[in-house]
């Protein structure tokens, strides 16, 4: 990919810029060269663009116009406290799936707790108690057993839990099987035809307040038709519940809107967002509900990259390998989903000879790769590569496998740099072990 094209596709967060009058084009995060960040913080390093996050949040809000809505950022996509604080200041709510994520919101954006929806199939009594005491907006309940447990918990605390049943519309989504959630064969939600009975039971419980309907059909979905099909079924259910006397204030459409991992024009994002918003709001016309959305990847994915240094070049007969210091322990998506991320050199040398190589890490697994059969310039040890669109499901899926320390993370805004997470040390790694 040439530097000029890259500048267009990745603005405003990441673009190539000339270093001086005669220097080679260098990839920058907003106003900071990635090579400078590598010198200051080392590699592997996660780098995020504040401007990209803000632009994407504002694009979503503009697309809704006057339709009542709330963006509840999916914390599971990236739970960095600094990023949660930024999103809270932008007016976002949060979608959480654990007590740990609730604690992160309470620390990073405590004033946003009234904009929190609590999802997830396995909420414990301790997690329900913490959420009720914190005053979250809504519980997305995923089973009859959970509904019963929440009612008991709320009654014990003398509180009232606002609930939405997560209904399973049995709508197929064209995505990876591991992140498809809207079919009867999946563990998520209750069959939509069973919802009226469960709502009738919930309405009789002193500790529960029927408040909404929730749906989520999967992640990394790049076509809007499945969202439209699911929302039509949800809208029909809402009408039926309203006829039965239930007051439905919220419809939670979940998240799942995907991103193009190979390239994206800024205009494409605005257009696709507008198309998505029209698709999910059209079936809700006249229902007098507030739409809750749980975007994660689409807000944060393109706003982050993983910076890594070349350690060695290796050739096995006709196969080339570029061995880098980032690994599946830093970015699991390629190994877990065979996911594609663009990988580009930080410093471009137009005269460099290109070769086809696998970009791999040091972990002792054949599945430890960041990209296979990539066309890259010939690289030397110490050269830098950037793995793009790594803001979502990157750092949160990192691990200490092979006793590797997790990467540092920084947020860039213009010329300013904020350290979000210090690089883990061996002392950190061994702190909880007992001899």
């Amino acid at each position: 990919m040439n530097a000029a094209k890259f500048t267009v596709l990745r603005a405003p967060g990441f673009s190539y810029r000339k270093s001086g009058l005669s220097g080679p084009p260098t990839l920058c995060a907003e106003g900071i060269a990635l090579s400078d960040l590598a010198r200051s913080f080392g590699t592997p390093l996660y780098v995020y663009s504040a401007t990209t996050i803000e632009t994407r949040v504002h694009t979503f809000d503009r697309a809704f116009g006057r339709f009542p809505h709330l963006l509840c950022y999916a914390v599971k996509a990236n739970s960095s406290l600094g990023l949660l604080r930024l999103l809270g200041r932008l007016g976002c709510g949060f979608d959480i799936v654990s007590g740990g994520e609730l604690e992160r919101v309470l620390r990073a954006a405590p004033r946003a707790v009234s904009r929190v929806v609590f999802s997830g199939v396995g909420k414990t009594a301790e997690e329900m108690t913490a959420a009720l005491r914190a005053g979250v907006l809504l519980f997305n309940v995923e089973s009859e057993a959970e509904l019963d447990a929440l009612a008991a918990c709320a009654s014990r605390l003398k509180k009232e839990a606002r609930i939405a049943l997560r209904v399973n519309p049995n709508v197929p989504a064209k995505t990876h099987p591991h992140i498809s959630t809207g079919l009867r064969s999946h563990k998520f939600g209750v069959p939509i035809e069973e919802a009226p009975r469960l709502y009738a039971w919930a309405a009789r419980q002193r500790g529960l307040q029927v408040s909404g309907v929730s749906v989520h059909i999967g992640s990394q979905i790049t076509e809007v038709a499945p969202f439209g099909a699911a929302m039509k079924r949800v809208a029909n259910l809402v009408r039926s519940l309203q006829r039965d006397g239930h007051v439905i204030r919220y419809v939670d459409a979940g998240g799942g809107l995907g991103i193009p991992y190979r390239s994206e024009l800024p205009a494409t994002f605005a257009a696709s967002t507008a198309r998505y918003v029209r698709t999910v709001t059209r079936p809700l016309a006249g229902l007098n509900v507030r739409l809750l959305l749980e975007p994660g990847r689409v807000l944060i994915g393109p706003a982050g990259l993983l910076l890594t240094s070349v350690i060695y070049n290796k050739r096995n007969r006709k196969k080339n390998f570029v061995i880098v210091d980032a690994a599946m322990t830093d970015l699991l998506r390629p190994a877990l989903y065979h996911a594609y991320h663009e990988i580009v050199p930080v410093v471009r040398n137009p005269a460099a000879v290109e070769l086809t190589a696998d970009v791999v890490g040091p972990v002792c697994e054949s599945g430890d790769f960041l990209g296979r059969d990539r066309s890259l310039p010939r690289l030397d040890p110490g050269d830098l590569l950037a793995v793009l669109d790594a803001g979502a499901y990157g750092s949160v899926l990192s691990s200490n496998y092979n006793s590797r320390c997790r990467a540092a993370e920084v947020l860039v805004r213009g010329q300013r740099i904020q350290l979000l997470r210090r690089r883990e040390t061996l002392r950190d790694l061994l702190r909880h072990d007992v001899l």
Side-chain angles (χ1 to χ4, degrees), residues 246-310:
H246 297 291
V247 179
I248 304 299
R249 297 180 175 87
Y250 307 103
V251 168
D252 188 335
L257 184 61
I259 62 174
Y261 277 93
R262 294 178 186 262
S263 64
E264 183 182 39
L265 288 162
T268 303
F269 173 65
S272 63
T273 301
R275 186 165 59 250
Y276 168 76
V277 167
R278 287 194 300 270
T279 299
V280 296
T281 57
R282 190 177 295 121
L284 303 178
L287 293 181
N288 193 28
V289 294
R290 187 182 191 188
L291 182 64
L292 308 179
L293 285 181
E294 301 167 4
R297 182 195 317 265
V298 74
L299 295 182
I300 204 74
L305 59 76
L306 176 60
L307 186 59
T308 183
S309 299
V310 175

Side-chain angles (χ1 to χ4, degrees), residues 154-289:
S155 178
R156 185 170 60 253
L157 295 174
K158 294 181 172 55
K159 292 183 177 290
E160 194 171 56
R162 289 179 292 272
I163 66 110
L165 284 178
R166 176 173 173 176
V167 296
N168 191 317
N170 201 37
V171 170
K174 294 181 180 179
T175 188
H176 192 282
H178 291 181
I179 51 177
S180 177
T181 62
L183 297 177
R184 292 191 183 99
S185 58
H186 298 142
K187 68 178 181 179
F188 300 96
V190 301
I192 196 167
E193 59 271 14
E194 294 183 17
R197 174 181 64 83
L198 295 175
Y199 275 107
W201 183 88
R204 297 193 295 269
Q205 308 310 306
R206 183 172 297 179
L208 302 181
Q209 181 188 108
V210 172
S211 298
V213 177
S214 173
V215 67
H216 181 73
I217 60 173
S219 183
Q220 186 47 24
I221 302 169
T222 54
E223 298 179 1
V224 298
F227 295 113
M231 291 307 294
K232 287 176 183 177
R233 297 182 188 186
V234 167
N236 288 335
L237 174 61
V238 171
R239 292 187 186 94
S240 175
L241 293 172
Q242 289 176 337
R243 287 194 296 269
D244 291 341
H246 297 291
V247 179
I248 304 299
R249 297 180 175 87
Y250 307 103
V251 168
D252 188 335
L257 184 61
I259 62 174
Y261 277 93
R262 294 178 186 262
S263 64
E264 183 182 39
L265 288 162
T268 303
F269 173 65
S272 63
T273 301
R275 186 165 59 250
Y276 168 76
V277 167
R278 287 194 300 270
T279 299
V280 296
T281 57
R282 190 177 295 121
L284 303 178
L287 293 181
N288 193 28
V289 294

Side-chain angles (χ1 to χ4, degrees), residues 386-397:
V387 185
L388 306 183
D389 300 309
Y393 305 103
S395 64
V396 286
L397 285 172

Side-chain angles (χ1 to χ4, degrees), residues 85-167:
R85 176 173 292 178
L86 170 61
L87 289 157
R89 288 173 175 170
L90 291 172
C92 290
F94 297 95
D95 166 53
I96 63 170
V97 293
S98 72
E101 289 187 350
L102 173 61
E103 182 62 25
R104 284 181 172 272
V105 172
L106 288 172
R107 293 195 183 196
R111 294 181 180 179
V113 71
S114 61
R115 305 194 296 269
V116 167
V117 295
F118 195 170
S119 305
V121 300
K123 305 177 189 72
T124 65
E126 291 77 13
E127 289 173 325
M128 291 176 182
T129 297
L132 284 165
R133 286 176 172 163
V136 301
L137 175 65
L138 192 68
F139 287 85
N140 285 337
V141 178
E142 302 237 14
S143 67
E144 187 170 358
E146 183 193 330
L147 194 62
D148 184 60
L150 181 58
C153 188
S155 178
R156 185 170 60 253
L157 295 174
K158 294 181 172 55
K159 292 183 177 290
E160 194 171 56
R162 289 179 292 272
I163 66 110
L165 284 178
R166 176 173 173 176
V167 296

